[in-house]
Structures are given as C-alpha cells and as structure tokens.
Amino acid sequence: MGSVYDNDNDNDNGNDNGNNGDNDNGNDKRLLRSLQYPLARRDDSVIEDYHGISVADPYRWLEDPDSQETKDFVDNQLNLTQSLLQTCPTRDKLHAKITQLFDHPRYDAPFKRGHNTYFYFHNTGLQPQNVLYIQDANHDHTFHGEPRVLLDPNLLSQDGTVSLNTLSVSEDAKYLAYGLSSSGSDWVTINVMRIQDKTLDPHSLSWVKFSGISWTHDGKGFFYSRYPAPKDGEELDAGTETHANLNHELYYHFLGTDQSEDVLCWKDPQNPNYLFSAAVTEDGKYILLYISESCDPVNKVYYCDISQLPSGLESFRRGNELLPFVKLVDDFDAQYHLVANDGTLFTFLTNKNAPKYKLVRVDLNHPNTWNDVIPESERDVLESANAVNGKQMIVSYLSDVKYVLQIRDLESGSLLHQLPIDIGSVDEISARRKDSTVFIHFTSFLTPAIIYQCNLQSEVPEMKIFREISVPGFDRSEFHVDQVFVPSKDGTKIPMFIVARKNINLDGSHPCLLYGYGGFNISLTPTFSVSRIILTRHIGAVVCIANIRGGGEYGEEWHKAGSLGKKQNCFDDFISSAEYLVSTGYTQPSKLCIEGGSNGGLLIGACINQRPDLFGCALAHVGVMDMLRFHKFTIGHAWTSDYGCSDKEEEFHWLIKYSPLHNVRRPWEQHPGTQYPSTMLLTADHDDRVVPLHSLKLLATMQHVLCTTLEDSPQTNPIIGRIECKSGHGAGRPTQKMIVEASDRYSFMAKMLDASWIE
C-alpha cells in the first residue's frame, strides 16, 4: 500500500497577509458551535448480512464517485472546510514560511548507464515536479560539461499534475522509457525517448499499473506489466474508478512497434489477484519473474534463460506461447529479491526462516540446495544488499530504527568495512555490480540531505560529500532529537523519536504532533520535513514519530505482531505513545494532535474512536476506513494479507471491532464532558489506491452521529473533510499542492490546539 509518510516535500506557496493575532476565544467557540454541517441522505435500506450479523451501510451511495449526489456532497464539504480554514490565523504565515524554506535546490543520487553517462533528478526549489538531467563523467567519475535537461515533467501540464511514475534507461544509454501519471493516479502511460536528440517514439503504452520497466541488453525493448484494456463502452477517467484491478499480465514491448504487437510473456487467469514484475539480470542472460498476490513480503520466483531462446524474443511475436519460465520458488512462504548472479549461481535477500532477513545462494542446476551467505542477525534487520565493484556488496541494516552501512565480500559474506554515517536514513544506494563508485543518499530529522560519493577501489573506502542540500534559514543547532522506548499495553517496548526545540520545559504546555503508520512491513525512519521543522520552530510544537508494531522496524515478527488478528496492537502502541507524551510533560491531551496516512489514516480513525479523550486534534490522510468492504475496490484485495477479509467469519469479527466506519459512538453518553477531537479527514478525487469513498463515508457518519442529529450537541470540536481535486494517494503531487495542503492542515491543527505563531 505504501506509506504516505509525508511525501515530505510538504510545503506551501503564498503571501503572508499579516494575519497573526490570536482570535478571541469566545468568538472561536461561537464559530465552531455554529458550523452548519451539510445533511447527507441516509439510505436505511442498505443492510448487509455478515455471517448472521446485520450491518447497515446507509452511505453506500457515496461509493459512486460519478453520481451527482456524491459530487454535491463533496462540494458542500469543501465549502464547510474552506469557511473554517479562513478563520485559522496561522494559515497564511505557514504558507509563506513553508514556501520560503522549501525554495532550496534538491538532488537525488545520480545513476550511471552506458559508458560514462549519469542521470539524476533535480528541483530548483519550487518547481512542481523534479526534472531529469543527464551529464557526462570522466573515467574517475568526476562530472564534466554542463548538465542537460532530459525530461521536464513540468512542461507536460499547466498545473503540474502530470508526474513521472517510473523510468528506465537502456543499457547503452540510447533510450529512455518512462511512465507518466496524471493527477496522482496509479495508472501509467509509458513513452520512449531517443536520448541523443530527445525524439519520441510515436507508440505509447496504456493501461499500465504497478509496473517496472526492465530493458533487455540488446536494447530492442523492455518488459512491463499492465492490466487488460477496458471493454468497449467502459472508457473511464483513469483514477476515479473503483472496480477491482484483476488479471495483471507481463508483456515485452519491441521499440518502434504498436502496443497491440507486444509479446504476452506471462498471465495466470486462474489467479486473477496475482501481480507480476520482471527484472533482467545484470549479465543480461536471464529474466526473473516475481509473482505476488498481496502486500505480504512473500513472492514466487520463476526464471527464463533468454540467452538460450533459439530466435530470441522475436520468435514469440508470431505465436500465442508464453515464455518458458522455470519455477524456482513456487509458493508464497517467503520473500526473495535478487542481489546478483554468476552464471547459474544466484544470490537472494530473503526472509525464509529468517524474520530479520538473510542472504542465501542457490545454483539453478541444483534448485533444492540453498546456502546462507550472510546469516540472519540476532537483533538488526538486513534491509538491503547491492552488488558493487565486481566482488563486493554494500549492505544496510536497520538497528533500533537507525541505519548501519557495511561493505562485505559478495562470495563469502564476510565483513570488509563499516561505513561511517550519522543517525538517520539511507534512502538510496546508487551503483551496479560493475561500478566501483557508489552514490549514497542520506537524510535525517535535522539533515535535509547529503549525497556521499564512495570510491570502493581505495584501500579504505571514504565517504566524500558529493552534494549537500542546505535549507536557507534552517539552523539545526536550535533543535534536539531524542529516541525513547515506550512500554505498550502488553509491555512491548515501542521506539519513538521526539524532535523539539532545545531546552524546553516539560510542563505539559507544548503543542505536539504524533505521527504513525504501523503496517505492511513499512518502517518510519528519520527523514527531513520542512513543514514539521516549521511547526517546531514557529508553533512551538514537539514532533514525534512512533515506530509501532505492524511496520518493518524489527523485521517480519514485528510486522506480524501488528497485523490480522493482532491489529489492535498497533492502536495500543500508538495510544501508549500518546500517554507517554502526556505523562512525561511534553504535552497534554488538549494540545496533542495525531496524524497518519493510508494505513496510518486507519490508525488515526481507530484511535479517535477508542480514546477520543486523549487527543485534541486528528489528521487522517487517505485512510482505509471501511474495513468490511475495502477489498472490493481497485487494489484493496492485496491488503487482506495485513487486515484479513470480512468474507471469512473469524476475520469479520477482527475487523468489525476496530473498523473506523463502524465504531463511531457518542463518547459523552459513557463519559460526560468527553467529545471527539477536532478532526480533519483528507482525501483526493484521483486516489485509486485507497479510494475516497472511505473518507467520505466516515465523514458523513461522524457528522451524523456526533453533530447533526442533536439540537445542542456536546460535539463542538469540528469534524471536517479536505478533498483535493486532481490528486491521488500522495505520489507525484506537485510542490504547490503539497505546500497548500500542509498549511491547511497544520493551521487547522494550530487553531484547534490553541497554538499561536512564534516569530
């Protein structure tokens, strides 16, 4: 599913209109009481039977994104939200300050193709999308000549909503294949450019989704994955539809031909939920087929020796045969990811009998004999392994949510060097096996980014700074980062990072933002965020990241401890982290805001239902809120590996207990004086990952139960929705949209927590 762990280009454009005074609290309270919530029709006839239990779904009509009634509901909610946001005194200041700090040059690590040609992404500061550059290098990997723009997505739309989703450069650096996405949708169109003169192949590839691009070494074409085109009469606005994505297929595209001539390499109509991806090995001889059926870290692995095909892939253009793949791993009991191969000797990163992962090797001629190269660590998670410099590899470990980098011998796995890095995240290691120079992209809470260049041919590899990203106006010495370990309900120690201004008094007075995710084996590691730094500096906030169970911070056991029938552990961990921040004096419930996106949006929805008294504000982005029906829409069926499925009786009983949509209650009926925190549900009209119906149905339900059905409701904290147009699940959002959204949600937070601007 992917974390929406703020595509942390969070920022904002805008003019400071000078509105920085504290509003009169009495006026504020009267305004909140007088919020005119739009009434949404309830269809009480929609009742579904789940294993003998009747469950009402009165807002099922909101599942149709194209109905006029749904569009009217969205428009009414937008008007309500805008009327409230206009009263937030810090909104313009946040917008201006985030824009100011975001306006700094940013770079990704360069990658090499061809003889000595490098490619990299760069943004001058406020460009909506990053731009792809090309630059030549000398034999010693020093760059020379002027960098040239190869592909600028900002020229493809007026509003910056066309983004680059995926790309691959051919082995000889003559061609660029790249996938474009519109309005943040997961649907992609692949184009091919001849790099020398930037001419485009007239043939583009459609209905591509959840796909990489992998070139064969002869440069004749590439493998990619797609879904069948809609049947006649089914043309639709790719990104707003909700039907399930089924029957993924693997194709090979020959350059200069129409998509209708592409070779169908693999399909499996008996298993319509399967997802296929392909990777050509670095020696160009094999194509590996990875097969998955869910978001679980497990996959099958098949291979095909394309060097032994009598007439190459050409012979498959004329017939209906699939490629002759050989099944190496044919069950879903573990994850396998190729690191390198020497002929038939293949090295994989796997969690087979190793929840913290290990490196193993197998000879294709003896497929039943697997040997350990790097055994599983007792306490650290083996995150990645990259073959480099011929016979070496760079491996990264996660140790208590902090990265450790090592150089090891590829054949034996023995440790050669420890690479010195600060506490933070390594989010890119750019090199291939034939490269002796490696580029490493590093970031942390107080380090915007450093790209290191490491020459592995020297006796002791040195981490030289290749590029350092600096943010004008940001002084890291003003801040302090701490990591604490919080006991959860069952005693499990939960790591939490705390970022604050130095030397604050722990008197409970500080606004606090607590962020979490807790799912799908995804780890939240230290990264730099402009908007969060501004909250700390100018709102006086303490910003915290809780590494709750369900994530990958301690490997597969940690993931499993927060999934399926144990999902409640995620909510207990997050609630315990919040209670710690209150009990230690960082904040108090009325000053505490919780935030999460996607699976983290579910986290927020569940926690405000279970402990509405503990939080003053809640920001839930693109959350999975209807746990009984999520599997019926787009790629939702792949999430049953983490959640279970309401079609099964035992799993229905797990889900109904915490499903945000089905557990909205009036807290004051049990605990007089208690109400829900001020809540903003954020979604987007082109989110085809977690479709917007989740947030819309929960919004209608909360407003009905808590606000509109009572004459003088105790629920005076607002319940609002922010629905972004021409946006998706988070990837590919233009800079300006991120800035506006960050200033909207954090000015809402500041107002609800009664926090004012600090110059």
Side-chain angles (χ1 to χ4, degrees), residues 118-335:
Y118 279 90
F119 302 81
Y120 62 89
F121 284 99
H122 170 49
N123 192 309
T124 55
L126 295 176
Q127 288 175 287
Q129 303 287 343
N130 296 342
V131 178
L132 180 63
Y133 285 79
I134 181 172
Q135 191 168 7
D136 298 321
N138 299 313
H139 290 295
D140 63 355
H141 306 288
T142 55
F143 287 18
H144 68 82
E146 284 298 309
R148 309 180 298 282
V149 172
L150 182 59
L151 180 63
D152 184 354
N154 300 302
L155 303 178
L156 302 177
S157 64
Q158 287 191 327
D159 56 3
T161 55
V162 171
S163 63
L164 200 54
N165 173 283
T166 185
L167 69 85
S168 182
V169 176
S170 63
E171 198 65 21
D172 56 10
K174 288 184 178 176
Y175 292 97
L176 167 71
Y178 60 96
L180 297 177
S181 162
S182 293
S183 300
S185 168
D186 279 331
W187 289 109
V188 168
T189 300
I190 294 178
N191 298 296
V192 179
M193 175 194 291
R194 189 166 65 199
I195 289 174
Q196 184 178 7
D197 55 10
K198 297 204 280 189
T199 56
L200 286 183
D201 188 315
H203 306 286
S204 62
L205 311 181
S206 303
W207 303 109
V208 179
K209 200 178 207 185
F210 310 129
S211 176
I213 298 171
S214 192
W215 288 85
T216 46
H217 283 209
D218 58 12
K220 290 181 179 178
F222 51 83
F223 294 94
Y224 72 101
S225 311
R226 57 165 288 190
Y227 285 100
K231 296 182 179 69
D232 288 343
E234 272 188 3
E235 290 304 316
L236 30 83
D237 177 9
T240 59
E241 75 288 346
T242 59
H243 60 257
N245 298 139
L246 300 173
N247 296 303
H248 212 220
E249 297 169 334
L250 178 70
Y251 279 86
Y252 183 82
H253 174 70
F254 283 93
L255 288 189
T257 65
D258 189 77
Q259 186 173 17
S260 61
E261 299 176 41
D262 289 356
V263 173
L264 175 59
C265 301
W266 196 255
K267 63 176 180 176
D268 189 349
Q270 302 304 311
N271 293 287
N273 287 348
Y274 280 10
L275 294 164
F276 305 116
S277 64
V280 176
T281 54
E282 274 203 51
D283 62 9
K285 290 182 179 179
Y286 296 89
I287 175 76
L288 284 193
L289 173 65
Y290 295 107
I291 303 174
S292 60
E293 64 173 346
S294 69
C295 291
D296 239 9
V298 296
N299 60 273
K300 299 182 180 188
V301 183
Y302 299 174
Y303 68 88
C304 176
D305 185 345
I306 49 180
S307 69
Q308 296 301 310
L309 297 175
S311 304
L313 290 163
E314 296 276 353
S315 59
F316 291 86
R317 297 175 76 165
R318 293 177 289 280
N320 293 318
E321 288 179 56
L322 301 178
L323 290 194
F325 280 103
V326 179
K327 298 173 180 180
L328 179 62
V329 178
D330 197 29
D331 49 34
F332 290 119
D333 71 338
Q335 184 176 57

Side-chain angles (χ1 to χ4, degrees), residues 102-116:
F102 212 61
D103 192 4
H104 65 273
R106 296 181 296 286
Y107 295 86
D108 284 354
F111 64 92
K112 188 172 90 168
R113 289 295 180 271
H115 185 53
N116 262 327

Side-chain angles (χ1 to χ4, degrees), residues 624-700:
V624 188
M625 303 305 194
D626 184 344
M627 299 309 297
L628 302 188
R629 288 175 60 78
F630 71 86
H631 59 289
K632 297 178 181 291
F633 307 104
T634 63
I635 197 62
H637 57 78
W639 313 334
T640 56
S641 54
D642 246 54
Y643 299 144
C645 178
S646 62
D647 293 345
K648 299 177 181 175
E649 185 169 2
E650 181 190 9
E651 298 176 6
F652 163 76
H653 287 290
W654 302 340
L655 294 163
I656 193 70
K657 283 190 178 73
Y658 69 80
S659 175
L661 181 64
H662 301 95
N663 287 280
V664 179
R665 309 276 188 270
R666 293 171 178 166
W668 52 84
E669 292 178 353
Q670 302 281 285
H671 305 283
T674 305
Q675 60 170 314
Y676 269 68
S678 302
T679 300
M680 178 186 280
L681 305 180
L682 299 95
T683 188
D685 63 348
H686 278 72
D687 188 345
D688 47 9
R689 188 87 57 87
V690 182
V691 285
L693 63 89
H694 286 277
S695 296
L696 302 185
K697 287 168 70 174
L698 180 60
L699 186 60

